[in-house]
């Protein structure tokens, strides 16, 4: 007989979330690949069209520039997850492990705060652009392209918080 | 009082390992708050990433570099240069310098040169009879050689930043590419001469040139040899713009390594793509953050104030250049090249221009100094990568890289005080 109480509800809920997060991470990487492919093919198509038909796609240039912004934010989001951001590691190297962990959490909390600030003002910026109906390229409204900024910084902020929590988890494990 | 506290706090946070983009954003936030500007500008400045011309070249060349280093290109490159140049006195050392320089030009000095090429060159040098200290020093210091040669990423980034600053129209990426060639060759040349001289008491047996070997090497690398000619020829022949050259290079490299040489499996390509874009993301985010920062420093007329401050102490161009070298060497020792370009160039460029220094020349001087930063103790990145790769204590690498560093310093001095070397080939 299977006892329904054997598998407590909250744990499954947590599992689902982990599962979902893992998919989100994979999605990030797939998006990065797609954008890079887009940038390369767009540029090659432009050269091809120019040499063969002596004209290019007017919106192609704008699209590629927008893709650069997206690669920037998406790549940076993954870089936080993989702790690959560029930093000066002048002092931390010489500190004992426990102290290093404390300082690292301070650093991450600070970074999370900065990211939240940018995210908050990013939302204001997107709202502003929505009311002014600015166009990014062709007929694409700018605010749609810009939403990646508050979105990305929110994700980064949460990731910094997770990294902070991990510091404590790791120190307990040690 | 408060500014001092804030600055100290931020510097402390930076050396404790806060990601640099967060530090730069924090400085900009403080600056904007201080000048009473609404912080919505932060997002607007970050959005300017999508309005910066040529920037697309950065992800595309980075990706191409990642693909090249994931295949067997390093092996073919060493084999080829060895077959062509190995017969000269000091042959293998010269082979090492030339192949490292070429490889770094394509991959950007991200340490991959030491990992990919050093691993082949170090045992080869030892086998040929070079001393251990010399060989270690050589592979460590060659890891950043070639930064001045096209299409190196730092050159492109400097060009983009300088153009954003609204310098005169002669400063183009094209011009920078040309400007770096002679100084880059000077570095390779001086290092080669020094290698021959320092090994004069340990004669290394000469290898005779073999036409058959050379032909085999050329045949093996026949798909990669056209690459540099094709990029430089394509750009200067007016066939395509720098960003288009980057796209074509990326496309070509994928086709060659995945479908012709079949050294990268199609499935592995996805991983290479996302990995390279993570690195691009971390560089671009610093750039994005610094767009806000640059806006703030220009608004606050910081370069002008800095110039006035320096002018009181430094009157001649020569003294300024000496101070510049010292400053950049220290900077290179603590900051990585991309962050240094993005953060310091906006401040430095107007000041240097006031002393009558050509922005193109400044760029070459800047990068040449930064290149030495890679092997400057205590935190030069190449020292750590070499220490990890060759299982040597870092302090040993400090010692063995020192003679190479001195040779590079000599070339930096030549590059700094002889602007003609950088500007000779440019037709204005």
């Amino acid at each position: 007989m299977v006892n329904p109480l054997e598998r407590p509800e909250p744990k499954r809920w947590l599992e689902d979330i982990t599962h979902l997060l893992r998919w989100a991470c994979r999605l990030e990487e797939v998006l990065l690949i797609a954008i890079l492919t887009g940038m390369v093919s767009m540029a090659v198509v432009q050269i091809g069209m120019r040499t063969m038909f002596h004209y290019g796609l007017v919106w192609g240039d704008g699209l590629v520039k927008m893709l650069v912004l997206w690669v920037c934010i998406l790549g940076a989001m993954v870089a936080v997850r993989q702790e690959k951001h560029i930093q000066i590691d002048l002092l931390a190297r010489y500190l004992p492990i426990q102290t290093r962990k404390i300082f690292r959490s301070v650093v991450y909390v600070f970074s999370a705060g900065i990211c939240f600030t940018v995210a908050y003002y990013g939302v204001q910026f997107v709202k502003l652009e929505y009311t002014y109906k600015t166009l990014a390229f062709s007929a694409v409204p700018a605010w749609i392209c810009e939403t990646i900024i508050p979105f990305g910084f929110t994700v980064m902020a949460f990731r910094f918080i997770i990294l902070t929590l991990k510091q404590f988890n790791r120190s307990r494990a040690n | 009082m408060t500014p001092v506290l804030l600055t100290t706090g931020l510097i402390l946070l930076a050396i404790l390992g806060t990601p640099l983009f967060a530090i730069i954003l924090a400085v900009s936030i403080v600056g904007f708050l201080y000048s009473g500007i609404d912080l919505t500008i932060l997002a607007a400045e970050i959005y300017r990433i999508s309005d910066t011309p040529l920037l697309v070249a950065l992800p595309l060349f980075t990706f191409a570099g990642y693909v090249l280093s994931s295949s067997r290109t390093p092996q073919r490159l060493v084999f080829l240069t060895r077959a062509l140049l190995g017969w000269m006195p000091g042959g293998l050392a010269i082979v090492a310098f030339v192949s490292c320089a070429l490889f770094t030009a394509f991959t950007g000095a991200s340490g991959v040169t030491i990992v990919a090429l050093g691993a082949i060159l170090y045992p080869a040098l030892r086998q040929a009879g070079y001393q251990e200290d010399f060989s270690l020093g050589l592979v460590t210091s060659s890891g950043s050689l070639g930064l001045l040669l096209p299409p190196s990423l730092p050159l492109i980034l400097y060009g983009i930043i300088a153009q954003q600053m609204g310098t005169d129209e002669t400063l183009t990426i094209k011009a920078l590419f040309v400007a770096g060639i002679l100084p880059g060759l000077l570095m390779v040349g001086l290092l080669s001469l020094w290698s021959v001289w320092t090994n004069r008491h340990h004669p290394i047996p000469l290898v005779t040139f073999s036409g058959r070997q050379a032909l085999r090497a050329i045949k093996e690398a026949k798909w990669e040899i056209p690459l540099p000619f094709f990029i430089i020829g394509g750009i200067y022949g007016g066939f395509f713009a720098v960003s288009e050259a980057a796209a074509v290079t990326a496309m070509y490299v994928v086709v060659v390594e995945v479908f012709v040489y079949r050294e990268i499996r199609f499935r592995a390509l996805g991983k290479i793509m996302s990995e390279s874009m993570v690195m691009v993301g971390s560089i671009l985010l610093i750039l994005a953050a610094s767009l806000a920062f640059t806006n703030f420093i220009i608004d606050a007329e910081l370069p002008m104030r800095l110039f006035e401050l320096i002018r009181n102490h430094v009157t001649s161009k020569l003294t300024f250049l000496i101070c510049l070298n010292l400053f950049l060497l220290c900077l290179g020792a603590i900051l990585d090249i991309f962050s240094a370009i993005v953060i310091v160039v906006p401040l430095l460029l107007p000041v240097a221009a006031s002393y009558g220094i050509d922005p193109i020349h400044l760029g070459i001087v800047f990068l040449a100094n930064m290149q030495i930063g890679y092997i400057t103790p205590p935190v030069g990145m190449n020292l750590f990568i070499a220490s990890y790769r060759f299982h040597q204590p870092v302090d040993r690498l400090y010692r063995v890289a020192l003679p190479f560093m001195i040779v590079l310093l000599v070339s930096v001095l030549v590059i700094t005080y002889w602007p003609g070397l950088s500007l000779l080939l440019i037709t204005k």
Side-chain angles (χ1 to χ4, degrees):
Chain A
M1 283 290 279
V2 181
N3 185 353
L5 290 175
E6 246 178 26
R7 205 166 173 195
E9 205 53 31
K11 199 155 189 182
R12 201 160 103 199
W13 180 76
L14 207 69
E15 249 170 42
D16 282 348
I17 285 212
T18 335
H19 202 70
L20 201 71
L21 283 179
R22 203 169 299 146
W23 271 101
C25 294
R26 195 167 293 170
L27 184 68
E28 271 176 338
E29 275 157 45
V30 170
L31 266 177
L32 279 177
I33 295 170
I35 293 176
L36 178 59
T37 316
M39 288 196 287
V40 176
S41 15
M42 195 66 226
V44 173
V45 165
Q46 290 277 48
I47 301 173
M49 286 187 68
R50 207 183 53 212
T51 32
M52 281 190 284
F53 313 113
H54 301 286
Y55 77 92
L57 303 167
V58 189
W59 47 269
D61 215 30
L63 173 69
V64 167
K65 282 179 176 172
M66 206 51 71
L67 291 180
V68 175
L69 172 76
W70 278 59
V71 138
C72 162
I73 305 282
L74 276 168
M77 278 161 56
V78 181
V80 176
R81 169 153 62 83
Q82 301 176 345
E83 295 185 70
K84 272 189 185 160
H85 266 291
I86 299 173
Q87 60 201 48
I88 315 172
D89 211 358
L90 210 56
L91 208 60
R93 211 191 297 276
Y94 304 101
L95 295 173
I97 288 191
Q98 281 305 327
T99 334
R100 204 188 308 175
K101 276 189 175 146
I102 295 172
F103 279 132
R104 192 158 286 167
S105 355
V106 173
V107 156
Y108 285 148
V109 169
F110 173 78
S111 312
I114 297 288
C115 288
F116 271 130
T117 314
V118 177
Y120 174 79
Y121 287 100
V123 173
Q124 311 300 317
F125 175 63
V126 172
K127 271 190 194 160
L128 217 65
E129 295 267 286
Y130 180 76
T131 36
Y132 285 122
K133 296 196 170 61
T134 327
L135 289 182
F137 56 91
S138 191
V140 181
W143 70 269
I144 294 180
C145 309
E146 288 156 359
T147 39
I148 189 79
I149 299 174
F151 174 77
F153 276 90
T154 312
V155 172
M156 281 192 266
F158 277 114
R159 282 193 174 150
F160 277 121
I161 290 174
I162 293 172
L163 283 177
T164 319
L165 296 177
K166 268 189 184 164
Q167 294 298 318
F168 289 112
N169 243 340
R170 272 181 220 157
S171 38
R172 228 186 358 210
N174 285 343
Chain B
M1 186 59 201
T2 336
V4 179
L5 256 172
L6 268 173
T7 318
T8 329
L10 282 177
I11 290 176
L12 207 68
L13 277 167
I15 57 176
L16 278 172
T18 308
L20 271 172
F21 82 87
I23 295 284
I24 306 171
L25 281 173
V27 175
S28 323
I29 289 175
V30 172
F32 285 133
L33 284 178
Y34 188 74
S35 346
I37 298 170
D38 189 88
L39 288 184
T40 315
I41 195 171
L42 284 174
E45 293 292 337
I46 291 169
Y47 182 58
R48 267 178 54 203
I49 277 283
S50 68
D51 198 24
T52 311
L54 295 171
L55 206 53
V56 66
L58 206 79
L60 298 180
F61 273 129
T62 309
F63 168 58
Y66 264 71
V67 172
L68 286 178
S69 25
S70 311
S71 63
R72 287 179 53 82
T73 309
Q75 279 86 343
R76 280 190 291 272
L77 180 61
V78 173
F79 186 46
L80 178 71
T81 22
R82 203 171 177 179
L84 296 181
L85 304 174
W87 53 271
M88 294 204 265
L92 195 59
I94 298 175
V95 166
F97 292 129
V98 172
S99 49
C100 283
L102 278 174
F103 196 67
T104 306
F106 273 89
T107 55
S110 50
V112 69
T113 305
I114 294 181
V115 177
L117 279 182
I120 312 164
L121 289 169
Y122 178 63
L125 283 163
R126 295 288 292 130
Q127 210 181 9
Y130 287 95
Q131 307 251 300
E132 200 181 338
D133 278 5
F134 174 83
S135 314
L136 265 179
L138 190 152
V139 288
T140 308
S141 48
S142 305
S144 50
L145 203 61
L147 271 186
L148 297 177
L149 300 176
S152 110
L153 295 174
L155 268 177
I156 297 177
L157 192 60
Y158 176 86
I160 292 171
I161 303 274
Q163 282 182 351
Q164 288 284 302
M165 298 290 298
T167 46
D168 63 311
E169 313 223 311
T170 51
L171 192 141
T172 56
I173 308 262
K174 246 164 105 172
L176 275 168
F177 277 181
V178 183
I181 291 177
L182 288 183
L185 291 180
L186 174 79
M187 286 185 164
V188 174
L190 280 183
L191 283 170
S192 305
L193 282 179
W194 182 79
S195 300
V196 174
W197 187 77
T198 190
N199 283 304
R200 67 197 180 284
H201 300 308
H202 315 279
I204 311 284
L206 287 181
V207 191
T208 43
F209 177 81
S210 144
R212 262 178 62 190
Q213 193 83 330
L215 215 63
R216 224 186 91 204
I218 293 176
K219 232 179 189 167
E220 255 182 44
K222 68 172 176 224
W223 293 101
E224 286 150 337
I225 296 173
L227 211 47
F229 301 100
F230 162 82
I231 292 179
I232 297 174
I235 294 174
Y236 292 99
F239 295 105
F240 30 68
V242 173
S243 49
E244 292 173 337
V248 176
T249 307
M251 184 74 118
Y252 180 83
V253 160
V254 167
V255 170
V256 165
E257 306 301 339
V258 177
F259 299 108
V260 180
Y261 287 117
R262 292 165 189 261
E263 284 163 355
I264 296 175
R265 290 225 312 270
F266 195 71
R267 293 187 65 173
L269 193 64
K271 196 160 174 49
I272 297 173
M273 287 174 110
S274 64
E275 260 176 25
S276 60
M277 287 310 102
V278 172
M279 159 153 173
V280 166
S282 62
I283 296 174
L284 284 184
L285 191 61
I286 293 185
L287 178 66
S290 79
L291 287 174
F293 170 71
T294 310
N295 185 318
F296 160 67
I297 63 168
I298 292 176
D299 242 30
E301 295 184 330
L302 275 184
M304 270 327 284
R305 287 192 209 173
L306 190 69
F307 174 56
E308 272 159 25
L309 192 79
I310 299 173
R311 198 174 50 185
N312 292 334
H313 305 280
V314 179
T315 42
S316 75
K317 184 175 168 181
L318 196 73
T319 338
F320 176 75
L321 283 174
I322 295 171
C323 298
L324 181 70
N325 270 336
L326 289 175
F327 168 70
L328 289 178
L329 283 173
C330 298
L331 186 75
I334 53 167
L335 262 189
D336 79 284
I337 192 160
F338 295 111
S339 325
I341 293 173
V342 163
I343 300 169
V344 179
V345 169
L347 268 171
L348 196 61
L349 202 76
V351 178
S354 316
Y355 280 99
I357 295 165
D358 189 297
I360 295 177
H361 181 217
L362 180 75
I364 303 300
V365 171
F366 195 98
L367 297 189
N369 276 290
M370 285 294 131
Q371 184 189 324
I372 296 182
Y374 274 89
I375 45 170
T376 314
V379 287
M381 188 177 75
N382 281 357
L383 296 166
F384 289 100
I385 293 174
S387 152
Y388 175 79
R389 185 65 191 74
F390 302 113
H391 313 289
Q392 298 289 336
V394 179
D395 48 313
R396 177 167 189 207
L397 291 169
Y398 290 170
R399 190 165 46 79
V400 296
L402 191 68
F404 295 89
M405 195 171 130
I406 294 171
V407 177
L408 285 174
L409 270 175
V410 172
S411 44
V412 164
L413 289 180
V414 176
I415 292 167
T416 311
Y417 301 106
W418 183 20
L421 186 69
S422 311
L423 305 175
L424 207 65
L425 295 179
I426 301 172
T427 41
K428 283 197 177 176

